[in-house]
Amino acid sequence: MEPNYLEYKGKYKGIFAWIFSTDHKRIGLLYLYAVGAFFCVGALLGLLMKLELIAPDKTIMEAQVYNSVFTLHGITMIFLVVIPGLPAVFGNFLLPIMIGAKDVAFPKLNLLSWWVYVFGALLALSSQFMGSGPPDTGWTFYAPYSFQTQSNVLPAVMGAFVLGFSSILTGLNFIVTMHRMRAPGMGWFRMPLFPWTLYATAWIQLLATPIVGITLLMIVAERTLGIGFFDPAKGGDPILYQHLFWIYSHPAVYIMILPAMGAISEILPTFSKKPIFGYKALVFSSLAIALVGYFVWGHHMFTAGMSGTALYAFSFLTFLVAIPSAIKVFNWVSTLYKASIDMQTPFYWATSFIFVFMIGGFSGLVLGALATNVHVHDTAFVVAHFHFIVFGGVGYAFFGAIHYWFPKIWGRMYDVKWANFGWLTFFIGYLALYGPMFYLGLVGMPRRYFDYLPEYHGPNILSSLGAIVMIGGLAIIITNLIISSRRGETAKANPWGGSTLEWTVPSPPPLENFEEIPVVDKNPYEYK
Amino acid sequence: MEQHSGHALVHRDDEASKIGMWLFIFTELLLFGGLFVVYAVYRHLNPVAFHLAAEELDVTVGTINTVILLVSSMTIAMATSSIKLGNKRLTLLLLSITMILAIIFMVNKYFEWGGKISHGIYPNSQTLLDLSQGDVLFFGLYYAMTGLHALHIIVGLVIIAVMFFKVWNGSINNDYNVQLENSGLYWHLVDLIWIFLFPLFYLIT
């Protein structure tokens, strides 16, 4: 029996055996630790904002500090946490195993992606400590403010550019891996759904990220050389910046959410003991989301000043994206119908994912409709919608995924009672935190303000208390996972009765995953 | 079972390497694509100024550089063919010619940019700001796009130099040469982008 990947001794020792490892499983864990650390930082920044908003006027910080905090919260959470979140962590760890391969197509490039990620993260975070004060532009770096502000925007923009490289390299690696390295017998339509969503995601990473890369370089040129592309004084057009930015950053939302949907599509059939309902519909809806999602960026700019025709087109296309998303929800719910459901922690996460994802999705239609958009644009409603989709989507799927694959990754089992208690605390806190913000936005509270009128006080108290409860839930979940990864009971190879390939190898998997490459002769979700 | 030292899988898939390179080329095209969009928008908004500004550029130097890059694309393609035939000396010769052509391109670029800068035309210069907004945008795009392209030429030069060394020490040979082929693909991309830049800045007047 080969030693498992955690115990394997290569030519490097200690920490170098990890940071120089080209094993996709170790790289996945490297990403997990980095993403996890940044997530905790981002979550605490969010908590600080909520504490500021617990009462009108200054509570714990000045307006300028608040601006820097929401900027750093955005940059950290978007570029460092949710974009690499599921693809780089679980994609790296599981993609090769789920398609019956020994590693990704380019293992060295994979390690390079992680190093580029770390370098980009340090560059982005260095903006906090150097130069003329932390950036205060928000994570969107809107022109012309981003090249007029005295704050230290340059390293943050450069960091985001470098992080884009890492994302592109991961996507490239995954596409080639899926094209070349599927096990014999695994046709495209025998591939599990998590790899399928990674495939759709990888294409977005590849085709959308370069646009934001060049756009960020233009901001750099604007700040350093005064080149004038987005400067109205020199004939440039700031709205063009918004277009270029959202051409990437809207598809980026699907980079975040698609693999999350993939993880849910793995968890539900396993705990339903039933083949997933509408496998092909789920595959094609993923591809449709990736495709249509590329053409909806204008819905971020309904009040920025576009032609009426453009407004109608973008609004219509936005409504179209709701269709494949709804197909997924119907299929997930149909999978549960007449199933013999096994109520385990990942199942709680998956079902609560569907719940919050639907709220996020429907509120997205409110924003996608032109008339209502004008009313709620740039209010707390947008923040609530966004957090229901991205934090509700990616966050719940991420925690679902980590509770689902935990025994596979560490070969140990977590404490189920604490895990369920953590989930419940988190869920209650989450709803109390973001629910009131829908109401606050509808009655007119703007976003990104450190202060508000007295009549908004009540719901803000509820929201801030929710934030405290939610952070408490997070602390329980993370502590439980860390302790269990060291001292949990030993897990079996297939504790949940899953039917995809990762459950056929030992927990934790051996260095090269499979002693012999498996031959696949059945569909991914078949249960005895 | 294959033996592994550390975690070096004995895994060679030339086809995968080529797919990877093509995917990377897509990303490069889209990177420049962002700038082409900006060019299209501002040309549409400032047709007269772009027309007049383009006449300021030297078509002769532009044409020479176009020919240089086309020939260098040919020589690197010939280098790929000759290594497949096992002719190491010819490969090294062709790679040297490619590098020399790339350097001549950069020298031309240096004098071209230098001439403009000595006339006070560079981003944010007072001379440029005194001209019309269309001129500011045209020359802004000129420096940004040819500058980013020149950066790619420099990266290409380094890559070809590495390939030269690898052919020389035999690690690229008639059996294993996908790296050289991919370098050639990259060089063709750099050439192709110039083929679009040349008419947009020099010819459309």
Side-chain angles (χ1 to χ4, degrees), chain A residues 96-107:
Chain A
I97 312 183
M98 291 179 92
I99 64 171
K102 293 190 172 183
D103 207 318
V104 292
F106 309 117

Side-chain angles (χ1 to χ4, degrees), chain B residues 47-69:
Chain B
V48 180
F50 269 52
H51 169 81
L52 294 173
E55 290 183 347
E56 299 286 312
L57 297 181
D58 190 337
V59 181
T60 318
V61 180
T63 312
I64 292 171
N65 265 352
T66 309
V67 173
I68 287 172
L69 275 194

Side-chain angles (χ1 to χ4, degrees), chain A residues 6 39 48 90 124 185 192 266 302 310 333 350 352 429 448 479 512 521:
Chain A
L6 290 169
F39 173 73
L48 288 179
F90 296 106
E266 297 296 332
F302 281 162
V333 175
S352 51
R448 292 185 167 179
T479 314
E512 295 193 330
D521 55 2

Side-chain angles (χ1 to χ4, degrees), chain A residues 466-511:
Chain A
I468 295 168
V469 173
M470 194 190 80
I471 295 287
L474 272 178
I476 296 170
I477 294 162
I478 294 172
T479 314
N480 180 35
L481 290 179
I482 291 177
I483 293 176
S484 304
S485 71
R486 292 160 179 269
R487 297 200 213 124
E489 284 174 41
T490 313
K492 288 180 292 191
N494 189 2
W496 313 121
S499 74
T500 36
L501 281 177
E502 78 271 28
W503 303 111
T504 63
V505 298
S507 306
L511 180 71

Side-chain angles (χ1 to χ4, degrees), chain A residues 7 55 64 86 104 118 148 160 214 314 340 371 408 416 479 499:
Chain A
E7 289 162 359
Q64 180 64 25
L86 280 130
V104 292
V118 170
Q148 288 172 342
I214 194 69
F314 281 124
S340 45
K408 181 54 62 189
V416 176
T479 314
S499 74

Side-chain angles (χ1 to χ4, degrees), chain A residues 72-240:
Chain A
L72 184 61
H73 171 78
I75 294 173
T76 312
M77 285 304 204
I78 297 287
F79 294 110
L80 300 181
V81 178
V82 285
I83 289 179
L86 280 130
V89 176
F90 296 106
N92 257 318
F93 196 99
L94 290 154
L95 171 66
I97 312 183
M98 291 179 92
I99 64 171
K102 293 190 172 183
D103 207 318
V104 292
F106 309 117
K108 283 184 195 155
L109 191 69
N110 202 16
L111 179 62
L112 178 70
S113 314
W114 184 77
W115 276 101
V116 172
Y117 168 81
V118 170
F119 176 69
L122 293 179
L123 192 59
L125 295 179
S126 73
S127 65
Q128 301 300 311
F129 309 106
M130 301 190 315
S132 45
D136 57 352
T137 57
W139 73 277
T140 47
F141 306 117
Y142 265 17
Y145 187 64
S146 56
F147 60 87
Q148 288 172 342
T149 173
Q150 294 303 308
S151 65
N152 197 17
V153 173
L154 209 53
V157 172
M158 293 293 288
F161 174 78
V162 172
L163 289 164
F165 252 104
S166 164
S167 182
I168 288 174
L169 293 179
T170 303
L172 187 153
N173 216 337
F174 285 1
I175 292 178
V176 178
T177 305
M178 276 178 268
H179 273 276
R180 298 293 299 174
M181 298 176 74
R182 278 172 290 124
M186 182 177 278
W188 282 100
F189 289 108
R190 277 186 182 164
M191 194 161 74
L193 288 161
F194 184 57
W196 258 116
T197 53
L198 288 173
Y199 185 73
T201 303
W203 276 107
I204 310 176
Q205 286 176 303
L206 211 64
L207 297 181
T209 316
I211 308 281
V212 85
I214 194 69
T215 310
L216 294 173
L217 284 185
M218 284 188 246
I219 289 289
V220 171
E222 202 75 66
R223 272 188 86 84
T224 53
L225 305 170
I227 206 156
F229 292 165
F230 306 127
D231 186 352
K234 296 174 183 169
D237 183 1
I239 294 183
L240 184 59

Side-chain angles (χ1 to χ4, degrees), chain A residues 8 22 102-103 106 172 176 180 203 206-207 210 214 225 227-229 232-237 240 511-512 515, chain B residues 1-2 4 6-7 9 13 15-16 19-20 23-24 27 30-31 34-35 38 42 123-124 129 133 137 140-141 148:
Chain A
Y8 184 80
T22 54
K102 293 190 172 183
D103 207 318
F106 309 117
L172 187 153
V176 178
R180 298 293 299 174
W203 276 107
L206 211 64
L207 297 181
I214 194 69
L225 305 170
I227 206 156
F229 292 165
K234 296 174 183 169
D237 183 1
L240 184 59
L511 180 71
E512 295 193 330
E515 277 187 36
Chain B
M1 282 304 293
E2 54 209 354
H4 45 77
H7 183 65
L9 285 176
D13 186 351
E15 194 61 31
I19 297 175
L23 294 175
F24 179 72
T27 70
L30 281 155
L31 186 80
L35 283 169
V38 175
Y42 290 145
N124 222 20
L129 292 180
Q133 292 188 334
L137 291 171
L141 282 163
L148 188 63

